[in-house]
Amino acid sequence: MGIQVEFNPDLALRNISEHKNGNRKEEECIPGKIKAGQTYAFLKIGQRNYWLQGQIPLVETKGNQQLSRPVAAVEILEAIHFMLDKKPFTKGKYKVVETFDPSDSKIHFDGFERIK
């Protein structure tokens, strides 16, 4: 048995409808209207590591690694690991740097490099 740690190149959260339907906590979802310059909380199951020295994509997940195109560029401000009901979780805060139009096909990231 080893230590299970996941390295995430993006912050993948659920649609806010998952919270409104009672399926997820609010911090597990992308807020309804995210705004550049605002700070939001996140919560993910598992022990996860995020890049803290630059911008990463915020994407919407439907589960099973089904991810949307980036909806925003964010900076992870803090990520904390903790145990809840004998399961590891990661919680933290992220700041939205820029939001993206979902209908725009422009590429915003090349790996970890932000394209402006």
Side-chain angles (χ1 to χ4, degrees):
M1 179 175 202
I3 299 170
Q4 207 170 31
V5 177
E6 189 170 325
F7 290 83
N8 293 133
D10 50 34
L11 179 58
L13 300 174
R14 301 287 179 142
N15 186 285
I16 193 66
S17 65
E18 290 289 320
H19 171 65
K20 292 177 180 176
N21 293 336
N23 300 324
R24 299 280 176 170
K25 294 181 180 180
E26 187 173 11
E27 296 83 8
E28 293 178 281
C29 302
I30 298 173
K33 294 190 179 192
I34 57 173
K35 295 182 182 178
Q38 294 292 108
T39 300
Y40 302 93
F42 72 88
L43 176 67
K44 298 287 291 181
I45 192 165
Q47 193 169 339
R48 296 164 183 268
N49 288 324
Y50 295 96
W51 187 45
L52 302 176
Q53 295 180 301
Q55 298 175 23
I56 63 172
L58 172 64
V59 297
E60 184 178 306
T61 181
K62 293 182 183 195
N64 298 319
Q65 300 176 347
Q66 295 180 21
L67 305 174
S68 71
R69 294 183 51 79
V71 297
V74 301
E75 294 174 340
I76 302 291
L77 303 176
E78 66 180 41
I80 301 164
H81 303 122
F82 70 101
M83 297 294 289
L84 180 64
D85 298 326
K86 298 185 180 183
K87 295 179 188 172
F89 281 82
T90 303
K91 68 179 178 178
K93 295 184 189 227
Y94 64 97
K95 181 178 180 180
V96 176
V97 176
E98 182 180 354
T99 60
F100 306 131
D101 181 349
S103 64
D104 182 8
S105 62
K106 183 178 177 186
I107 297 173
H108 300 284
F109 288 89
D110 182 11
F112 280 108
E113 185 176 348
R114 174 78 194 281
I115 299 172
K116 292 189 177 190

